Amino acid sequence: MNILLAGGAGYIGSHTAVSLLDAGHDVIIADNFANSSPVAVERVREVSGKPVTCYRADVCDKAAMERIFQENNIDCIVHFAALKGVGESVEIPVAYYRNNIDTTLTLLECMAKFGVRNMVFSSSATVYGDENPIPYAETMRRGSSSHPYGWTKIFMEQIFEDAAKADPNLSVVLLRYFNPIGAHPSGRMGEDPRGVPNNLMPYISQVAVGRREKLTVFGGDYPTPDGTCRRDYLHVMDLAEGHLEAVEYAAAHKGAEAFNLGTGTPYSVLEIIRAFETATGVSIPYAIGDRRAGDLPEFWADASKAERVLCWTAKRDLTEMCRDTWNWQSHNPKGYEE
Ligand code: UD1
């Protein structure tokens, strides 16, 4: 298949590109590099040994996107083109709604115009909100969010469901990611956040490589076994392979359907620190600080639907997640822009 990765130069998009190329698909990337690097695309070519067509284009730019659809016979789209900073979304909510909703509508309009029927959407466990019991299952209703970023994911899912209801030819797979960490085992690709990392694993790996002094653990008094928050961390290559299954599922089914992509096993912040130290031999100085606004004590996936329907399970364990993160970070201390 010819697969368009909208926002495909980012952390999850670039790893997904490698999985799709390895499976024999052709990949076209459209990215404005607002939060990613063109070097990531070069590394996708290097690691896969395959050509990749890449456009520097804003997915909100309808004329630019129409040209891409015209020049390529696209079979399926994977939509990663979104802003993803929780804290930033509280500061600039309008920019978040504008970008994330606009990319989604532009892609849907292009699909209608060019007869493209299959879409895989990069959603998030955040859509379960804080009302649902854990583990989260796809049978639960979407919840409400404490931040605009989360609302954009909830709205985008709703838009896709409405579009699929109105057009019986449309097929949309909503992939609800839990917490992706890790890197490609080659050490040539990995997570490279701009500025101070918001997420746990890139912060830990930047402490390990000496770019940050110490980690602040956000809260030590949660109602969890060791007082720190628990999350369902999965290896980014497992997540990437989930997209491969989703693309094939979208080609064979109609309508909108959601799948959790997680392991089903939670780890606490302290367990992640210890696992990283054991896997790498590098110690991580940390201090327990205040809770971060909006953090839930714990959540993880009921991962049974993806296993039953997509024949997908996460195969790589926490040691591998930590080892591959360190292999990437230690060989690329400054990320892609060295
Ligand atoms: C966050 C978002 C989620 C988004 C995901 C990917 C919230 C509430 N959720 O998930 O919607 O899809 O990022 O961008 O923000 N932690 C520390 N110290 C740090 C960083 C994190 O202790 O410096 C802790 C957090 O409190 C949390 C855990 O590590 O318990 C994981 O945090 P993070 O990697 O930011 O992911 P989420 O908050 O689960």
Side-chain angles (χ1 to χ4, degrees):
M1 277 186 255
N2 289 330
I3 304 172
L4 172 65
L5 305 190
Y11 173 47
I12 302 172
S14 57
H15 288 78
T16 298
V18 170
S19 281
L20 294 171
L21 290 161
D22 285 350
H25 294 295
D26 290 316
V27 163
I28 300 121
I29 290 176
D31 205 300
N32 63 0
F33 302 109
N35 194 24
S36 59
S37 166
V39 180
V41 180
E42 284 166 28
R43 300 280 174 94
V44 170
R45 294 185 182 113
E46 175 196 312
V47 164
S48 67
K50 305 251 172 74
V52 174
T53 307
C54 181
Y55 295 85
R56 180 184 285 269
D58 189 327
V59 181
C60 298
D61 181 344
K62 192 137 175 241
M65 294 311 292
E66 287 190 350
R67 191 166 71 87
I68 295 171
F69 278 78
Q70 227 144 28
E71 291 176 2
N72 300 275
N73 190 12
I74 293 162
D75 299 299
C76 183
I77 299 160
V78 189
H79 175 18
F80 302 101
L83 299 172
K84 64 161 189 120
V86 171
E88 186 183 60
S89 79
V90 176
E91 286 158 27
I92 49 167
V94 178
Y96 267 66
Y97 288 115
R98 165 63 73 196
N99 183 76
N100 292 4
I101 305 297
D102 228 4
T103 54
T104 302
L105 297 176
T106 302
L107 288 172
L108 276 165
E109 286 169 354
C110 288
M111 289 172 79
K113 184 161 178 182
F114 293 90
V116 179
R117 293 174 166 179
N118 304 326
M119 159 69 74
V120 173
F121 173 57
S122 182
S123 190
S124 166
T126 201
V127 303
Y128 289 105
D130 51 12
E131 297 93 337
N132 282 302
I134 39 179
Y136 294 148
E138 297 88 341
T139 47
M140 295 168 184
R141 292 170 68 86
R142 282 185 288 270
S144 49
S145 182
S146 56
H147 43 81
Y149 160 76
W151 280 115
T152 68
K153 291 285 171 181
I154 292 166
F155 293 156
M156 288 188 274
E157 282 204 0
Q158 185 67 48
I159 289 167
F160 280 122
E161 284 182 0
D162 291 341
K165 231 178 266 170
D167 179 355
N169 290 316
L170 212 58
S171 172
V172 184
V173 176
L174 310 169
L175 294 181
R176 294 175 178 166
Y177 309 155
F178 282 69
N179 289 58
I181 58 173
H184 191 272
S186 64
R188 299 293 288 160
M189 298 169 48
E191 189 167 10
D192 181 24
R194 296 235 165 121
V196 182
N198 296 313
N199 300 111
L200 179 63
M201 193 49 110
Y203 205 104
I204 289 178
S205 63
Q206 290 194 10
V207 170
V209 85
R211 279 172 68 180
R212 319 248 161 227
E213 195 191 332
K214 67 172 188 325
L215 173 76
T216 302
V217 176
F218 296 142
D221 58 352
Y222 281 101
T224 58
D226 65 16
T228 65
C229 293
R230 296 200 299 168
R231 294 288 183 273
D232 183 337
Y233 297 93
L234 78 158
H235 197 294
V236 68
M237 289 312 299
D238 279 321
L239 184 64
E241 288 163 12
H243 291 74
L244 178 61
E245 303 302 334
V247 162
E248 283 162 10
Y249 186 84
H253 295 80
K254 297 288 168 218
E257 200 169 343
F259 293 93
N260 290 339
L261 295 183
T263 65
T265 304
Y267 289 103
S268 73
V269 177
L270 295 181
E271 285 173 323
I272 296 292
I273 297 170
R274 271 182 228 114
F276 188 91
E277 290 179 332
T278 306
T280 65
V282 182
S283 73
I284 302 298
Y286 70 87
I288 308 277
D290 291 339
R291 291 183 178 193
R292 180 171 67 178
D295 274 348
L296 295 175
E298 54 184 1
F299 62 82
W300 60 92
D302 175 338
S304 61
K305 184 182 177 191
E307 177 167 17
R308 196 174 63 248
V309 181
L310 298 180
C311 300
W312 175 90
T313 51
K315 296 185 188 73
R316 295 154 177 95
D317 66 13
L318 184 56
T319 303
E320 209 168 338
M321 298 180 216
C322 293
R323 200 190 57 211
D324 289 340
T325 299
W326 184 232
N327 188 37
W328 151 253
Q329 189 73 78
S330 58
H331 288 101
N332 304 266
K334 293 183 182 150
Y336 288 118
E337 303 290 359
E338 259 190 292

